[in-house]
Amino acid sequence: MIIIADGGSTTVDWCLVDKGTVKKNITTKGANPFFRTTEDISVEIRKQLLPQLNGNKIEGIYFYGAGCAFPEKNKIVRDAIAANFDVENIEIYSDLLGAAVGLYGDKPGIACILGTGSNSCFYDGKNICENVSPLGFILGDEGSGAVLGRLFVGSCLKNQFGQEIKNEFLNYIQLSIPEILDRVYKQPLPNRFLASISPFIQANIHNDKIYQLVFNAFTDFFKKNVMQYDYKNYKVSFIGSVAYHFQDILKASAEALHIELGEIVQSPMEGLVRFYA
Protein backbone atom coordinates (compact mmCIF):
# COMPACT_ATOMS: atom_id res chain seq x y z
CA MET A 1 0.00 0.00 0.00
CA ILE A 2 1.03 3.60 -0.55
CA ILE A 3 -0.13 6.91 0.88
CA ILE A 4 -0.76 9.93 -1.35
CA ALA A 5 -1.15 13.22 0.54
CA ASP A 6 -2.61 16.50 -0.67
CA GLY A 7 -1.40 19.06 1.86
CA GLY A 8 -2.95 22.51 1.95
CA SER A 9 -2.38 25.25 4.49
CA THR A 10 -5.66 24.41 6.24
CA THR A 11 -5.93 20.61 5.94
CA VAL A 12 -3.99 17.59 4.68
CA ASP A 13 -5.91 14.83 2.90
CA TRP A 14 -4.12 11.47 3.24
CA CYS A 15 -5.28 8.74 0.87
CA LEU A 16 -4.43 5.09 1.55
CA VAL A 17 -4.16 3.35 -1.82
CA ASP A 18 -3.71 -0.32 -2.66
CA LYS A 19 -3.00 -1.15 -6.34
CA GLY A 20 -4.90 1.87 -7.58
CA THR A 21 -7.87 1.36 -5.25
CA VAL A 22 -8.59 3.89 -2.51
CA LYS A 23 -8.91 2.10 0.82
CA LYS A 24 -9.29 5.05 3.16
CA ASN A 25 -9.27 8.86 3.27
CA ILE A 26 -8.00 10.65 6.38
CA THR A 27 -7.92 14.40 7.05
CA THR A 28 -5.57 16.19 9.45
CA LYS A 29 -4.62 19.83 10.01
CA GLY A 30 -2.52 21.68 7.44
CA ALA A 31 1.22 21.00 7.33
CA ASN A 32 2.64 24.05 5.55
CA PRO A 33 6.32 24.11 6.65
CA PHE A 34 6.34 27.90 6.51
CA PHE A 35 3.93 27.91 9.45
CA ARG A 36 4.59 24.60 11.27
CA THR A 37 7.71 22.86 12.62
CA THR A 38 8.88 19.28 12.16
CA GLU A 39 7.92 18.45 15.74
CA ASP A 40 4.51 20.06 15.37
CA ILE A 41 3.71 18.14 12.18
CA SER A 42 5.12 14.92 13.64
CA VAL A 43 2.80 15.10 16.66
CA GLU A 44 -0.16 15.68 14.34
CA ILE A 45 0.75 12.60 12.29
CA ARG A 46 1.26 10.44 15.36
CA LYS A 47 -2.01 11.42 17.02
CA GLN A 48 -4.35 11.94 14.08
CA LEU A 49 -3.06 9.82 11.18
CA LEU A 50 -1.35 6.69 12.53
CA PRO A 51 -4.29 5.44 14.66
CA GLN A 52 -6.49 5.37 11.55
CA LEU A 53 -4.11 3.28 9.41
CA ASN A 54 -4.88 0.13 11.42
CA GLY A 55 -1.31 -1.17 11.18
CA ASN A 56 -1.32 -1.46 7.37
CA LYS A 57 2.20 -1.81 5.95
CA ILE A 58 3.09 1.30 3.95
CA GLU A 59 5.59 0.94 1.09
CA GLY A 60 5.76 4.56 -0.06
CA ILE A 61 4.50 8.02 0.85
CA TYR A 62 4.02 10.74 -1.78
CA PHE A 63 3.31 14.12 -0.21
CA TYR A 64 2.26 17.12 -2.30
CA GLY A 65 2.11 20.14 -0.03
CA ALA A 66 1.68 23.89 0.24
CA GLY A 67 5.03 25.48 1.05
CA CYS A 68 6.96 22.44 -0.22
CA ALA A 69 8.87 24.16 -3.00
CA PHE A 70 12.26 24.52 -1.31
CA PRO A 71 14.64 21.76 -0.11
CA GLU A 72 14.91 23.13 3.43
CA LYS A 73 11.11 23.32 3.75
CA ASN A 74 10.59 19.89 2.21
CA LYS A 75 12.99 18.49 4.82
CA ILE A 76 10.71 19.72 7.62
CA VAL A 77 7.81 17.66 6.27
CA ARG A 78 9.94 14.67 5.30
CA ASP A 79 11.52 14.48 8.76
CA ALA A 80 8.08 14.65 10.39
CA ILE A 81 6.84 11.75 8.25
CA ALA A 82 10.05 9.74 8.73
CA ALA A 83 9.72 10.06 12.50
CA ASN A 84 6.47 8.11 12.30
CA PHE A 85 6.94 5.67 9.40
CA ASP A 86 9.62 3.04 8.75
CA VAL A 87 9.52 3.73 5.02
CA GLU A 88 12.50 4.44 2.77
CA ASN A 89 10.47 5.87 -0.09
CA ILE A 90 9.18 9.25 1.16
CA GLU A 91 8.85 11.83 -1.60
CA ILE A 92 7.91 15.47 -1.01
CA TYR A 93 6.66 17.68 -3.83
CA SER A 94 4.95 21.05 -4.08
CA ASP A 95 1.16 21.24 -4.01
CA LEU A 96 1.45 22.99 -7.36
CA LEU A 97 3.02 19.91 -8.98
CA GLY A 98 0.30 17.86 -7.31
CA ALA A 99 -2.33 20.10 -8.87
CA ALA A 100 -0.69 19.84 -12.30
CA VAL A 101 -0.36 16.05 -12.17
CA GLY A 102 -3.87 15.70 -10.77
CA LEU A 103 -5.35 17.89 -13.49
CA TYR A 104 -3.31 16.90 -16.53
CA GLY A 105 -1.47 13.63 -15.82
CA ASP A 106 1.18 13.53 -18.52
CA LYS A 107 -0.43 16.21 -20.74
CA PRO A 108 0.62 19.91 -20.84
CA GLY A 109 -1.51 22.76 -19.55
CA ILE A 110 -1.81 25.70 -17.16
CA ALA A 111 -2.58 24.52 -13.64
CA CYS A 112 -3.86 26.82 -10.91
CA ILE A 113 -4.69 26.57 -7.22
CA LEU A 114 -7.32 28.71 -5.52
CA GLY A 115 -7.70 27.61 -1.91
CA THR A 116 -6.47 29.22 1.30
CA GLY A 117 -3.63 30.52 -0.90
CA SER A 118 -3.21 30.68 -4.66
CA ASN A 119 -0.60 29.59 -7.19
CA SER A 120 -0.20 28.80 -10.88
CA CYS A 121 2.19 27.27 -13.39
CA PHE A 122 2.72 26.04 -16.90
CA TYR A 123 3.18 22.25 -16.82
CA ASP A 124 4.70 20.43 -19.80
CA GLY A 125 3.35 16.99 -18.85
CA LYS A 126 6.34 16.13 -16.66
CA ASN A 127 7.64 19.23 -14.93
CA ILE A 128 6.65 22.74 -13.95
CA CYS A 129 8.35 24.90 -16.59
CA GLU A 130 7.06 28.35 -15.59
CA ASN A 131 5.80 29.68 -12.29
CA VAL A 132 4.82 33.20 -11.28
CA SER A 133 5.64 33.41 -7.58
CA PRO A 134 2.44 33.67 -5.51
CA LEU A 135 4.21 35.88 -2.87
CA GLY A 136 1.82 35.03 -0.03
CA PHE A 137 -1.45 36.63 1.07
CA ILE A 138 0.02 40.06 1.90
CA LEU A 139 1.95 40.66 -1.32
CA GLY A 140 0.11 38.28 -3.65
CA ASP A 141 -2.10 35.17 -3.49
CA GLU A 142 -4.65 36.95 -5.66
CA GLY A 143 -8.07 35.27 -5.70
CA SER A 144 -7.30 33.04 -2.71
CA GLY A 145 -9.52 32.50 0.31
CA ALA A 146 -7.10 34.48 2.48
CA VAL A 147 -7.14 37.43 0.11
CA LEU A 148 -10.92 37.32 -0.38
CA GLY A 149 -11.20 37.39 3.41
CA ARG A 150 -8.73 40.25 3.72
CA LEU A 151 -10.49 42.32 1.06
CA PHE A 152 -13.93 41.58 2.48
CA VAL A 153 -13.07 42.35 6.11
CA GLY A 154 -11.32 45.59 5.17
CA SER A 155 -14.30 46.79 3.11
CA CYS A 156 -16.92 45.51 5.53
CA LEU A 157 -15.41 47.20 8.59
CA LYS A 158 -15.09 50.41 6.59
CA ASN A 159 -18.86 50.29 5.94
CA GLN A 160 -18.64 49.58 2.20
CA PHE A 161 -21.40 46.93 2.19
CA GLY A 162 -23.89 48.67 4.45
CA GLN A 163 -24.72 48.32 8.13
CA GLU A 164 -26.88 45.22 7.67
CA ILE A 165 -24.07 43.14 6.13
CA LYS A 166 -21.64 44.46 8.73
CA ASN A 167 -23.94 43.43 11.60
CA GLU A 168 -24.54 40.00 10.02
CA PHE A 169 -20.80 39.48 9.61
CA LEU A 170 -19.97 40.42 13.21
CA ASN A 171 -22.71 38.08 14.40
CA TYR A 172 -21.34 35.31 12.13
CA ILE A 173 -17.73 35.69 13.20
CA GLN A 174 -18.61 36.11 16.91
CA LEU A 175 -15.71 38.51 17.43
CA SER A 176 -15.53 42.22 18.18
CA ILE A 177 -13.61 44.51 15.83
CA PRO A 178 -10.60 44.69 18.22
CA GLU A 179 -10.64 40.87 18.42
CA ILE A 180 -10.68 40.60 14.61
CA LEU A 181 -7.67 42.92 14.41
CA ASP A 182 -5.90 40.83 17.03
CA ARG A 183 -6.53 37.64 15.02
CA VAL A 184 -5.12 39.25 11.89
CA TYR A 185 -2.14 41.15 13.28
CA LYS A 186 -1.07 39.30 16.43
CA GLN A 187 -2.30 35.71 16.37
CA PRO A 188 -0.67 32.87 14.37
CA LEU A 189 -2.00 31.73 10.98
CA PRO A 190 -3.96 34.87 9.99
CA ASN A 191 -4.23 33.43 6.46
CA ARG A 192 -6.37 30.57 7.75
CA PHE A 193 -8.51 32.94 9.78
CA LEU A 194 -9.15 35.17 6.79
CA ALA A 195 -9.84 32.19 4.51
CA SER A 196 -12.40 30.90 7.01
CA ILE A 197 -14.57 33.89 6.09
CA SER A 198 -15.13 32.52 2.55
CA PRO A 199 -18.39 30.72 3.43
CA PHE A 200 -19.89 34.01 4.62
CA ILE A 201 -18.79 35.71 1.41
CA GLN A 202 -20.36 32.91 -0.62
CA ALA A 203 -23.61 33.11 1.36
CA ASN A 204 -23.86 36.83 0.56
CA ILE A 205 -22.66 36.72 -3.03
CA HIS A 206 -26.04 38.07 -4.17
CA ASN A 207 -24.90 41.46 -2.84
CA ASP A 208 -23.66 43.33 -5.92
CA LYS A 209 -20.66 44.86 -4.16
CA ILE A 210 -19.55 41.52 -2.70
CA TYR A 211 -19.97 39.83 -6.08
CA GLN A 212 -17.83 42.55 -7.65
CA LEU A 213 -15.16 42.13 -4.97
CA VAL A 214 -14.82 38.42 -5.80
CA PHE A 215 -15.00 39.03 -9.56
CA ASN A 216 -12.24 41.65 -9.34
CA ALA A 217 -10.07 39.37 -7.18
CA PHE A 218 -10.30 36.59 -9.79
CA THR A 219 -9.59 39.06 -12.59
CA ASP A 220 -6.54 40.20 -10.64
CA PHE A 221 -5.41 36.56 -10.40
CA PHE A 222 -5.78 36.02 -14.13
CA LYS A 223 -4.00 39.24 -15.10
CA LYS A 224 -1.07 38.93 -12.70
CA ASN A 225 -0.54 35.18 -13.04
CA VAL A 226 -2.28 33.26 -15.83
CA MET A 227 -1.77 35.86 -18.54
CA GLN A 228 2.01 35.53 -18.14
CA TYR A 229 1.74 31.99 -19.60
CA ASP A 230 0.73 30.87 -23.09
CA TYR A 231 -2.96 30.94 -22.17
CA LYS A 232 -4.08 31.40 -25.76
CA ASN A 233 -2.85 27.93 -26.73
CA TYR A 234 -3.45 25.98 -23.52
CA LYS A 235 -6.48 25.52 -21.30
CA VAL A 236 -6.43 26.81 -17.74
CA SER A 237 -7.60 24.36 -15.07
CA PHE A 238 -8.19 24.88 -11.37
CA ILE A 239 -7.99 22.97 -8.11
CA GLY A 240 -9.10 24.23 -4.70
CA SER A 241 -12.12 24.99 -2.55
CA VAL A 242 -12.36 28.65 -3.61
CA ALA A 243 -12.19 27.81 -7.33
CA TYR A 244 -14.78 25.07 -6.86
CA HIS A 245 -17.31 26.96 -4.74
CA PHE A 246 -17.01 30.25 -6.66
CA GLN A 247 -16.67 28.66 -10.09
CA ASP A 248 -19.53 30.62 -11.69
CA ILE A 249 -17.76 33.90 -10.95
CA LEU A 250 -14.41 32.40 -11.94
CA LYS A 251 -15.88 31.38 -15.30
CA ALA A 252 -17.39 34.85 -15.79
CA SER A 253 -14.06 36.52 -15.07
CA ALA A 254 -12.21 34.16 -17.46
CA GLU A 255 -14.77 34.74 -20.19
CA ALA A 256 -14.40 38.52 -19.87
CA LEU A 257 -10.65 38.09 -20.46
CA HIS A 258 -11.10 35.54 -23.29
CA ILE A 259 -9.40 32.78 -21.30
CA GLU A 260 -10.50 29.19 -21.99
CA LEU A 261 -10.98 27.13 -18.84
CA GLY A 262 -10.55 23.39 -18.49
CA GLU A 263 -11.43 21.47 -15.34
CA ILE A 264 -12.41 23.01 -12.02
CA VAL A 265 -12.18 20.45 -9.21
CA GLN A 266 -11.98 20.70 -5.44
CA SER A 267 -9.11 18.24 -4.96
CA PRO A 268 -6.33 16.72 -7.10
CA MET A 269 -6.61 13.39 -5.31
CA GLU A 270 -8.66 11.50 -7.90
CA GLY A 271 -6.18 12.46 -10.61
CA LEU A 272 -3.18 11.63 -8.40
CA VAL A 273 -4.56 8.18 -7.56
CA ARG A 274 -5.15 7.55 -11.26
CA PHE A 275 -1.59 8.71 -12.05
CA TYR A 276 0.04 6.40 -9.49
CA ALA A 277 -2.14 3.49 -10.56
Side-chain angles (χ1 to χ4, degrees):
M1 290 191 183
I2 64 170
I3 292 176
I4 303 170
D6 171 32
S9 291
T10 302
T11 61
V12 180
D13 294 323
W14 307 82
C15 189
L16 184 63
V17 181
D18 184 22
K19 299 176 182 177
T21 300
V22 176
K23 295 298 183 180
K24 195 167 191 177
N25 291 292
I26 302 163
T27 301
T28 63
K29 290 181 181 178
N32 189 324
F34 276 91
F35 303 116
R36 302 189 73 181
T37 65
T38 293
E39 183 179 355
D40 189 24
I41 298 170
S42 179
V43 170
E44 180 85 17
I45 291 172
R46 184 169 68 252
K47 291 184 176 181
Q48 304 300 327
L49 176 63
L50 290 184
Q52 299 190 62
L53 294 178
N54 301 321
N56 283 298
K57 181 174 176 55
I58 307 301
E59 297 172 349
I61 298 175
Y62 306 90
F63 187 100
Y64 293 86
C68 296
F70 306 95
E72 68 275 13
K73 296 301 181 183
N74 291 9
K75 187 176 186 300
I76 291 173
V77 178
R78 192 187 191 287
D79 288 350
I81 294 173
N84 291 279
F85 289 91
D86 183 19
V87 178
E88 288 188 16
N89 191 20
I90 300 173
E91 299 182 15
I92 312 296
Y93 304 103
S94 70
D95 60 340
L96 187 57
L97 183 59
V101 173
L103 287 165
Y104 294 108
D106 58 359
K107 307 296 183 185
I110 297 170
C112 304
I113 297 173
L114 284 183
T116 299
S118 69
N119 209 341
S120 65
C121 71
F122 176 73
Y123 172 70
D124 68 358
K126 291 184 178 180
N127 302 297
I128 292 173
C129 298
E130 298 177 59
N131 170 233
V132 179
S133 178
L135 299 180
F137 77 102
I138 294 175
L139 298 177
D141 271 3
E142 298 84 9
S144 69
V147 167
L148 291 182
R150 174 171 61 77
L151 294 172
F152 173 82
V153 171
S155 294
C156 184
L157 299 187
K158 285 181 178 282
N159 307 307
Q160 297 303 294
F161 304 131
Q163 193 61 44
E164 184 178 351
I165 290 289
K166 184 176 180 179
N167 290 340
E168 288 180 8
F169 171 65
L170 292 174
N171 182 61
Y172 168 84
I173 206 71
Q174 289 293 293
L175 295 171
S176 65
I177 293 176
E179 288 172 332
I180 292 172
L181 297 178
D182 183 73
R183 290 291 299 271
V184 171
Y185 290 108
K186 294 183 178 181
Q187 298 300 313
L189 304 176
N191 59 327
R192 281 196 210 170
F193 168 69
L194 291 168
S196 73
I197 295 165
S198 294
F200 182 85
I201 297 173
Q202 184 184 13
N204 290 276
I205 204 66
H206 56 276
N207 180 291
D208 289 343
K209 290 183 177 179
I210 295 176
Y211 179 96
Q212 199 61 48
L213 180 148
V214 176
F215 183 93
N216 290 345
F218 290 159
T219 299
D220 204 27
F221 175 83
F222 282 121
K223 287 182 175 180
K224 291 182 178 178
N225 300 278
V226 171
M227 295 178 80
Q228 295 200 54
Y229 310 120
D230 187 9
Y231 70 96
K232 293 183 179 179
N233 291 308
Y234 293 93
K235 288 185 178 181
V236 182
S237 296
F238 283 85
I239 273 174
S241 57
V242 171
Y244 184 79
H245 291 294
F246 291 91
Q247 61 182 281
D248 289 344
I249 307 177
L250 188 64
K251 290 174 181 177
S253 174
E255 185 177 357
L257 295 169
H258 307 291
I259 294 172
E260 184 179 2
L261 297 186
E263 284 190 278
I264 300 175
V265 296
Q266 193 163 2
S267 166
M269 191 59 77
E270 184 178 344
L272 287 171
V273 170
R274 186 167 57 246
F275 178 80
Y276 278 97

